[in-house]
């Protein structure tokens, strides 16, 4: 007892298989579960018998407990007999047992078989349900499932049509022949419950619980003969599913008590009638009663015969009613057909059944017979029902793919079946992909000897068939499945030494390109194509590779000259032909420019076919590449190719058309680019041209404005005498100061704010516009003429700033003469050391209480203005708009104006090359209004008018002011 319990815990089926939670169907006393073996993943079906199902029949007294228990034990023994008999019998028409029968923990039984989908009884019950509900489109059932692809419904199992019935009956006849002639057994209970349909739609015989050696058999067997007296009497204490079904029992059992082998043929006849009857039941309805059975056979009207259409509610096929059924459903056993004769009857004499029969016997045929069969099979495939194609022919052909000699012929039939089936996508994914991967696995063969070379030749023939059916493959699998399983096979064909395979693989690119993603095309597929194109010595492969580049660039190689001879497509004009091409390139612009074009440039051959194919590729490149790339890289190549010595006039003109169209596109894009740039520019073209021709300070009336904000700040710092962090200047030691907003804030007694300044150099290009400068309440622009005369060290004084100065009071007659004649503030000489810098005191611009202008010594090496002229003596300070007492403050900043170097000259009576001068302050109580825009040329000119008084009063001798005038 302990050993039995341990066995239940260590069951092979329970430990080695994974089961579904619910049974897929129920057949007789068995619940059938879908399962898979853990180690191999093989799909199986597990038959489980629950002992509790025997106890569900009620109405039994306690006194009958012992007899019921004995009856239960007999049922269990019969079921064990059924499983053990199946395990001993090996035949294609007998259900194959994978795991031997085992006892469960609660006393039940289980064993594993090949995968089955339904019993024939369940299939007939489904047909009845469909007919009552109005067909397959009626109410759903457990045998009909929804299609996941494209909607619709399909059967989970096989369809029952004429060919399915013929095929299944033929298989049952083969199984009975094996039982009768080889195993020496009769089935004894051949019913729809005893027949199962596997995944290939083959009908399998099972239900051998009542099997027995026939009477008078001499064949040795271990099967115990049945007792007809026991099995014919129905026991109401037991379920009907575990008892003999009298509705399909032969009168040899019931009326003659003679268990003969021909009794199975009578049961087979009743089963055939049930297949066509409606409902799909036996014509004998005995209600499990032997007395009822005998009464039915006592009258000819209730006995199935040819005269009453074998009690079928529907017409039966003529071949059955005329030949087969009269010799099966007959009272006398000697007149019945044997199992072998049944298979040879006229009922199976048609091309479809004969095809299935030949296919079942294909392993035993000769190679020549196999080849002839495979060549003729495509002609009869359209006549087969789709269910037979899916579940019978397709699996049989896949099993034959191991024969490499027939691989090409087998694949042709397989792809034709996939095309014909509505569920071809599902069938290809589930059944075909895996065998294809195994057959065309990379590394097989090797070609090391003659046999290997022959095998490789057969493999290449099959590979060619696969390439020819790539469109069917792409329509039958997802993008991921194609990338993972089919694309490696295609790339293997591209790398094949057979030119025909390479040509077919490259020609299939337009078909497969829509299935792959961009990354796969660029990183996996394109390198293989580029390698083949670069290394091949075949002109045909070269042209095919160029056509592949057209596809990768978004073109269509079927449109001859669509890329090379369509100028309107290059310029973007609408055209009907352009709509036929691909909407966009497959490869990105970078790959096309950096990898595809160099491959084209490296072409050595000048054959016209290659040149024209390259022209079409360049036409597609012209739609993708940048205009500058086309101008610098593509056009030179096109010109070189166009001059090929083998091109005729028409081909040369096509090159010229493309060159002109690309040139037109380049011209249009460059023109548009320049137009956009011109719209963003300020000023007229003449002004922009002057800007590029300006060096240092620009001459002209707006010269100072051209220097920009930086020049303005430099000038302000210069005239104000302020420093910006350090006293070091340029080459002449000039000090930088601040002007503008900061000085105005200082006039108001507030803290000056720092101002960001941009350094300006003599070689800088000035801004085309002048910046207004605000002094006090006056806004003015610096004159451009001043900057044109400035020296390199930029020691300048703007005239507009000077125009805001008050009248300068001269300290001598010369200064008075200048002031009187020109209206310009008088200049007063002052005595100063030659190395000192003469200063201008602009303290009049400051508040009276604060003097921010003070003298400041210059420490540079430039000569001071004090030695420039002997006519004037330097004065210490000049004040504008301020009392004289303020001028003596020592903190007033100094200001020096060295003359331009190019105008230096020796003045008479002086030992120094320069003269110094200063501007004295105006009278403290008589300020002169500040002019807005003074013109120095009018008051200081050397010609006629008021400016002439300057030259006459000095006897045509240049003074320091003359040099200042020249500076302005």
């Amino acid at each position: 007892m302990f050993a039995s319990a341990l066995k239940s815990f260590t069951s092979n089926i329970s430990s080695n298989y994974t089961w579904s939670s619910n049974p897929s169907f129920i057949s007789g006393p068995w619940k059938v579960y879908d399962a898979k073996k853990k180690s191999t993943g093989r799909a199986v079906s597990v038959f489980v018998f629950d002992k509790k199902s025997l106890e569900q029949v009620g109405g039994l007294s306690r006194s009958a407990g012992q007899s019921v228990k004995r009856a239960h034990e007999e049922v269990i023994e019969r079921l064990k007999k059924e499983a053990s008999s199946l395990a001993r019998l090996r035949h294609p028409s007998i259900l194959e047992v994978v795991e031997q029968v085992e006892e469960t923990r609660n006393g039940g039984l289980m064993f594993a078989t090949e995968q089955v989908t339904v019993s024939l009884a369940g299939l007939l019950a489904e047909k009845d349900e469909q007919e009552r509900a109005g067909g397959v489109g009626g109410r759903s059932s457990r045998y009909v499932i929804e299609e996941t692809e494209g909607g619709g419904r399909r059967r989970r199992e096989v369809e029952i049509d004429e060919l399915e019935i013929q095929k299944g009956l033929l298989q049952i006849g083969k199984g009975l022949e094996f039982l009768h002639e080889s195993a020496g057994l009769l089935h004894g209970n051949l019913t729809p419950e005893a027949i199962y349909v596997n995944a290939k739609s083959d009908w399998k015989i099972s239900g051998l619980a009542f099997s027995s050696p026939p009477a008078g058999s001499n064949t040795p067997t271990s099967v115990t003969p049945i007792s007809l007296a026991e099995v014919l009497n129905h026991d109401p204490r037991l379920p009907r599913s575990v008892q003999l079904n009298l509705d399909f029992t032969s009168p040899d059992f019931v009326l003659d008590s003679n268990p003969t082998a021909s009794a199975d043929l009578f049961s087979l006849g009743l089963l055939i009638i049930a297949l066509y009857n409606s409902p799909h039941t036996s014509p004998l309805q005995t209600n499990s009663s032997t007395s009822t059975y005998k009464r039915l056979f006592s009258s000819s009207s209730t006995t199935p015969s040819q005269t009453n259409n074998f009690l079928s509610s529907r017409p039966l096929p003529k071949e059955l009613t005329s030949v087969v059924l009269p010799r099966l459903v007959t009272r006398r056993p000697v007149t019945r057909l044997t199992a072998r004769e049944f298979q040879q009857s006229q009922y199976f004499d048609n091309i479809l059944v004969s095809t299935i029969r030949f296919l079942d016997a294909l392993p035993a045929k000769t190679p020549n017979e196999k080849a002839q069969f495979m060549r003729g099979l495509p002609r009869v495939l359209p006549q087969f029902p789709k269910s037979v194609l899916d579940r019978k022919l397709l699996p049989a052909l896949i099993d034959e793919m191991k024969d490499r000699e027939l691989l090409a012929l087998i694949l042709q039939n397989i792809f034709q079946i996939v095309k014909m089936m509505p569920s071809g996508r599902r069938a290809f994914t589930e059944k075909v992909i895996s065998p294809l991967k195994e057959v065309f696995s990379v590394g097989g063969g090797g070609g090391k000897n003659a046999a290997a070379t022959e095998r490789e030749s057969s493999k290449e023939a099959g590979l060619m068939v696969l390439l020819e059916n790539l469109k069917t493959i792409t329509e039958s699998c997802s993008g991921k499945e194609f990338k993972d399983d089919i694309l490696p096979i295609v790339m293997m064909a591209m790398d094949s030494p057979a030119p025909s395979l390479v040509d077919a693989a490259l020609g299939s690119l337009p078909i497969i390109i829509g299935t792959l993603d961009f990354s796969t095309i660029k990183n996996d597929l394109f390198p293989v194509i580029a390698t083949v194109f670069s290394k091949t010595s075949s002109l045909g492969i070269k042209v095919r590779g160029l056509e592949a580049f057209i596809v990768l660039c978004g073109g269509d190689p079927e449109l001859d000259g669509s890329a090379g001879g369509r100028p309107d497509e290059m310029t973007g004009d609408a055209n009907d032909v352009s709509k036929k091409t691909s909407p966009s390139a497959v490869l990105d612009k970078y790959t096309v420019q950096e990898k595809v074009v160099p491959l084209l440039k490296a072409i050595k051959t000048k054959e016209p076919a290659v040149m024209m194919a390259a022209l079409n590729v360049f036409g597609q490149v012209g739609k993708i590449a940048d205009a500058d790339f086309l101008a610098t890289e593509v056009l030179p190549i096109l010109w070189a190719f166009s001059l090929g010595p083998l091109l005729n006039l028409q081909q040369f003109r096509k090159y010229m058309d493309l060159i002109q169209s690309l040139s037109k596109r380049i011209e249009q894009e460059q023109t548009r680019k320049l137009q956009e740039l011109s719209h963003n520019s300020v000023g007229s073209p003449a002004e922009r041209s002057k800007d590029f021709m300006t060096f240092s300070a620009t001459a002209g009336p707006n010269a100072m404005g051209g220097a920009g904000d930086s020049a303005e700040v430099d000038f302000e710092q210069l005239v104000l005498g302020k420093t910006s962090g350090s006293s070091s200047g340029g080459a002449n030691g000039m000090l930088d100061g601040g002007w503008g907003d900061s000085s105005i804030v200082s006039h108001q007694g507030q803290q000056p704010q720092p101002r960001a300044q941009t350094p300006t150099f003599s070689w800088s290009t000035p801004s085309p516009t002048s910046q207004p400068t605000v002094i006090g309440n006056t806004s003015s622009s610096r004159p451009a003429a001043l900057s044109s005369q400035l020296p390199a060290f930029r020691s300048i004084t703007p005239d507009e700033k000077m125009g805001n100065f008050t009248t300068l009071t001269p300290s001598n007659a010369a200064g008075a003469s200048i002031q009187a004649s020109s209206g310009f503030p008088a200049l007063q000489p002052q005595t100063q050391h030659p190395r000192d810098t003469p200063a201008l005191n602009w303290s009049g611009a400051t508040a009276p209480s604060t003097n921010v202008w003070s003298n400041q010594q210059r420490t540079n090496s430039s000569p001071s203005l004090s030695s420039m002229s002997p006519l004037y003596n330097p004065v210490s300070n000049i004040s504008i708009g301020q009392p004289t007492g303020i001028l003596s403050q020592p903190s007033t900043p100094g200001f020096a104006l060295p003359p331009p170097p190019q105008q230096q000259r020796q003045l008479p009576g002086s030992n120094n090359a320069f003269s110094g001068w200063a501007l004295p302050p105006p009278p403290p109580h008589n300020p002169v209004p500040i002019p807005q825009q003074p013109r120095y040329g009018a008051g200081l000119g050397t010609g006629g008018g008021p400016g002439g008084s300057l030259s006459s009063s000095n006897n045509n001798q240049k003074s320091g002011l003359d040099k200042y005038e020249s500076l302005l």
Side-chain angles (χ1 to χ4, degrees), residues 84-128:
S84 60
S85 297
L86 289 174
R88 288 193 302 268
L89 300 174
R90 294 291 181 181
H91 189 268
S93 296
I94 304 297
L95 185 64
E96 178 186 357
V97 175
V98 178
E99 294 289 347
Q100 295 284 348
V101 63
E102 300 176 358
E103 292 186 9
T104 61
R105 185 180 305 176
N106 58 2
L109 302 172
M110 65 178 176
F111 64 99
T113 69
E114 62 178 305
Q115 187 182 25
V116 293
T117 58
V118 70
S119 67
L120 183 59
L123 201 55
L124 294 178
E126 166 62 15
K127 291 290 290 184
D128 292 337

Side-chain angles (χ1 to χ4, degrees), residues 107-372:
L109 302 172
M110 65 178 176
F111 64 99
T113 69
E114 62 178 305
Q115 187 182 25
V116 293
T117 58
V118 70
S119 67
L120 183 59
L123 201 55
L124 294 178
E126 166 62 15
K127 291 290 290 184
D128 292 337
E129 185 178 353
Q130 288 181 4
E131 291 170 0
R132 289 193 299 267
V136 179
R139 66 188 182 190
S140 61
S141 68
R142 62 194 178 98
Y143 299 108
V144 178
I145 62 175
E146 298 294 331
E147 278 282 8
T148 57
E149 303 170 4
R153 311 175 73 193
R154 69 172 179 86
R155 297 192 58 80
R156 184 174 63 87
E157 297 85 20
V158 297
E159 295 287 350
I160 292 294
D161 52 25
E162 185 66 26
L163 184 60
E164 282 282 358
I165 293 174
Q166 288 181 342
K167 176 183 68 65
L169 292 176
L170 183 62
Q171 291 171 336
I172 296 302
K174 292 180 180 180
L176 291 177
E177 179 186 359
F178 169 75
L179 287 176
H180 296 166
E181 297 182 5
S182 299
L185 296 174
L186 63 90
H187 190 281
N189 192 29
L190 188 63
T191 67
E193 295 284 356
I195 298 174
Y196 294 94
V197 182
N198 69 358
K200 297 180 180 180
S201 76
D202 294 329
W203 290 15
K204 302 281 186 172
I205 294 177
S206 182
L208 297 176
F210 298 93
S211 63
S212 172
S217 174
N218 297 324
T219 304
T221 179
S222 60
V223 178
T224 305
I226 61 172
S227 173
L228 291 180
E230 296 179 0
V231 299
L232 289 176
N233 293 324
H234 179 71
D235 191 345
R237 300 170 302 178
L238 299 175
R240 286 189 178 185
S241 59
V242 298
Q243 301 186 62
L244 189 69
N245 190 347
L246 294 180
D247 292 349
F248 291 91
T249 302
S250 169
D252 302 347
F253 280 17
V254 181
L255 303 180
D256 301 335
S257 298
N258 183 19
T260 62
S262 63
D264 288 340
L265 275 302
F266 187 93
S267 299
L268 177 61
L270 294 179
L271 189 148
I272 292 174
I273 297 172
L275 291 173
Y276 292 95
N277 197 9
S278 180
H280 298 279
T281 57
S282 170
L284 299 178
Q285 297 295 319
T286 63
N287 196 23
S288 300
S289 173
T290 56
S291 60
T292 303
Y293 187 95
K294 293 177 181 179
R295 187 178 68 252
L296 292 176
F297 271 87
S298 63
S299 173
S300 60
S301 61
T302 56
T303 301
S305 64
Q306 189 175 7
T307 58
N308 56 19
N309 197 32
F310 297 95
L311 299 179
S312 174
S313 61
R314 289 183 176 180
L316 299 174
K318 183 179 179 180
E319 295 81 1
L320 290 177
T321 57
S322 60
V323 179
V324 177
L325 289 179
R327 295 196 61 186
L328 291 178
V329 185
T330 178
R331 177 69 182 81
R332 300 182 62 181
V334 294
T335 61
R336 295 175 193 151
L337 295 171
T338 65
R340 186 185 296 272
E341 292 173 343
F342 170 73
Q343 299 174 56
Q344 298 172 353
S345 65
Q346 188 178 358
Y347 175 63
F348 302 108
D349 189 14
N350 61 75
I351 187 64
L352 301 183
V353 176
S354 300
T355 300
I356 295 175
R357 183 181 300 181
F358 192 95
L359 188 61
D360 291 337
L362 193 63
K365 303 296 180 179
T366 65
N368 187 32
E369 290 175 337
K370 292 179 180 180
Q372 291 179 357

Side-chain angles (χ1 to χ4, degrees), residues 567-638:
D568 48 357
E569 294 181 17
M570 297 297 101
T571 57
D573 296 339
N575 191 283
D576 293 338
V577 179
S578 63
K579 297 179 182 178
K580 299 179 183 179
T581 59
S582 299
S584 60
V586 179
L587 295 177
D588 59 301
K589 184 196 305 183
Y590 171 81
T591 305
V592 171
Q593 294 183 172
E594 300 298 329
K595 296 183 179 181
V596 175
V597 173
L599 289 173
L600 301 177
K601 186 177 181 180
I603 296 176
K604 301 299 182 182
T605 178
K606 300 300 180 183
E607 287 292 329
V610 178
M611 291 291 97
M612 299 312 296
L615 176 66
N616 293 334
V617 180
F618 278 118
Q620 291 302 129
V621 173
K623 302 175 184 179
I624 305 170
D626 297 326
D628 54 350
F629 181 83
L630 295 176
T632 58
E633 298 293 338
V634 175
L635 285 182
I637 304 175
L638 286 175

Side-chain angles (χ1 to χ4, degrees), residues 87 209 215 234 238 273 320 493 513 587-588 710 715 719 740 770 820-821 880 908 943:
H234 179 71
L238 299 175
I273 297 172
L320 290 177
I513 206 72
L587 295 177
D588 59 301
S710 176
F715 181 81
V719 296
S770 61
S821 60
I880 303 177

